Amino acid sequence: MTTSTAQASPNIALIKYWGNRDHFLRIPSNSSLSMNLDGLVSRTQVSFDPGLEADRLTLNEQEIIGPALQRVSVLLERVRGMAGLKQFANVTSSNNFPIGTGIASSASAFAALTVAATAAAGLKLTTQELSRLARTASGSACRSIPAGFVEWQAGQDDADSYAFSIAPPDHWDLGDCIAITSETHKPVGSTEGHTLADSSPLQAARVATTPQRLAQCRRAVLERDFDALADVVELDANMMHAVMITSAPPLLYWQPATLAVMHAVQDWRSSGLPVCYTIDAGPNVHVLCPGEKVDLVAARLRQIPGVNDVLTAHPGGGAHCLPAC
Ligand code: DP6
């Protein structure tokens, strides 16, 4: 029996991934850019065991069956195929943050699973190969493999669709204050959401103009230019939500408290505080600010009615084995 444990952090997309050109392989419609979130972690242990008759998954101390187990098994099948292994695996995973709320738990979960499963299977993969493999399980997971600020080049096919680091975590202390407005599981997950993206008349325009926003965002990150970052990050999130709201059926993830935070952030910025918001496929709001403003921004967010909690994070490292593999 071979066992490995790995840890990965979720990431917040500054330029969003929404829609696939190939849903099976998760070749995205556009490139995206993100930051890993330090302190929030998924930790996953994988043991290939000759005594098992099927894969088993325990998530946050609960045995999981059905579609979630199936999704894990699809990745394990790929790993078995690569390693020439026949044994099923016992997978035990835990998160230290609420899942299914717009904090991308699938990203950290599948990044950690990819690293743990390949290590347990005895494979020695490069960061690029790990990123490609994680991508097939959850698109955004490919961005949780490399460290710090990460770009996912959409590419054309499985071989050239992967993420790479554009700057290490210590390049820029950008803070993320996550205003939790709901901890309930979202009604339509991102996997289903991606299949609806092309039904919006706005998706083609969003995809066509992403390269410009990506270039602006990359430059803002590399030059640590918060004002430039704020403009492009909010524009890109708003464009993704415009696509979501106008798809068939429409996806409206915002709750009243989501809007309250968006208004507050814009007011604070007008009065000189460097903040901006971005929102994934859920009602929570990620409020970005220079690292030294995190405590102030988190305290302000806690005073907004409907904000139940605020998690804070700084730029984080990549997925890795515990101990190193
Ligand atoms: C809105 O990576 O969660 O968070 O590939 O089906 O797992 P799957 O989708 P996922 O989609 C992320 C969508 C997003 C934007 C982003 O993180 O870029």
Side-chain angles (χ1 to χ4, degrees):
M1 189 157 84
T2 47
T3 301
S4 291
T5 304
Q7 176 174 309
S9 292
N11 62 77
I12 179 63
L14 307 175
I15 298 294
K16 304 297 187 187
Y17 150 49
W18 197 246
N20 287 315
R21 290 183 24 223
D22 180 331
H23 290 296
F24 179 68
L25 286 174
R26 290 184 162 86
I27 310 298
S29 303
N30 62 274
S31 297
S32 54
L33 199 156
S34 61
M35 174 179 111
N36 285 344
L37 301 177
D38 192 36
L40 308 181
V41 290
S42 295
R43 192 170 285 193
T44 301
Q45 188 181 72
V46 177
S47 309
F48 288 101
D49 182 342
L52 288 174
E53 289 179 3
D55 294 318
R56 292 186 63 181
L57 172 64
T58 307
L59 180 57
N60 296 327
E61 291 174 358
Q62 273 201 313
E63 171 115 34
I64 307 283
I65 53 169
L69 171 62
Q70 180 57 28
R71 196 168 167 184
V72 164
S73 277
V74 170
L75 181 64
L76 292 170
E77 258 316 295
R78 286 185 196 273
V79 173
R80 280 189 281 263
M82 290 164 81
L85 253 182
K86 295 266 181 293
Q87 297 169 13
F88 290 108
N90 220 330
V91 177
T92 312
S93 187
S94 60
N95 294 315
N96 69 351
F97 57 94
I99 57 171
T101 55
I103 306 171
S105 59
S106 69
S108 51
F110 283 106
L113 178 65
T114 300
V115 172
T118 51
L123 294 166
K124 295 244 177 293
L125 302 187
T126 63
T127 304
Q128 192 184 107
E129 288 165 335
L130 288 167
S131 179
R132 284 173 46 209
L133 186 57
R135 188 206 72 234
T136 64
S138 171
S140 56
C142 80
R143 298 189 311 236
S144 281
I145 297 283
F149 296 87
V150 172
E151 187 170 327
W152 172 13
Q153 66 174 31
Q156 301 295 321
D157 54 29
D158 179 58
D160 65 356
S161 186
Y162 57 86
F164 52 89
S165 179
I166 61 163
D170 63 0
H171 164 72
W172 189 17
D173 183 16
L174 192 60
D176 182 7
C177 302
I178 310 164
I180 307 290
T181 59
S182 162
E183 294 197 13
T184 54
H185 219 81
K186 56 197 178 192
V188 176
S190 19
T191 302
E192 195 180 336
H194 290 296
T195 67
L196 303 177
D198 286 330
S199 68
S200 164
L202 306 183
Q203 171 72 345
R206 190 191 74 85
V207 169
T209 54
T210 301
Q212 283 151 252
R213 291 190 302 283
L214 182 72
Q216 279 171 29
C217 184
R218 188 193 300 118
R219 191 200 64 76
V221 167
L222 294 178
E223 295 178 7
R224 304 181 191 89
D225 181 344
F226 189 86
D227 291 345
L229 185 83
D231 289 342
V232 73
V233 162
E234 283 189 6
L235 173 63
D236 193 79
N238 290 341
M239 287 186 74
M240 179 182 72
H241 283 272
V243 167
M244 291 166 160
I245 293 166
T246 53
S247 67
L251 300 175
L252 179 54
Y253 288 110
W254 300 349
Q255 294 295 331
T258 313
L259 264 172
V261 173
M262 293 161 79
H263 281 293
V265 166
Q266 290 192 332
D267 288 348
W268 298 340
R269 189 152 83 252
S270 310
S271 51
L273 185 66
V275 275
C276 68
Y277 67 75
T278 185
I279 306 164
D280 281 341
N284 301 325
V285 188
H286 292 250
V287 180
L288 305 176
C289 61
E292 71 273 13
K293 300 277 192 239
V294 159
D295 290 346
L296 171 75
V297 171
R300 284 200 186 188
L301 286 169
R302 285 194 181 97
Q303 284 170 4
I304 297 176
V307 173
N308 304 330
D309 195 7
V310 179
L311 308 177
T312 60
H314 297 261
H320 56 274
C321 287
L322 298 168
C325 45

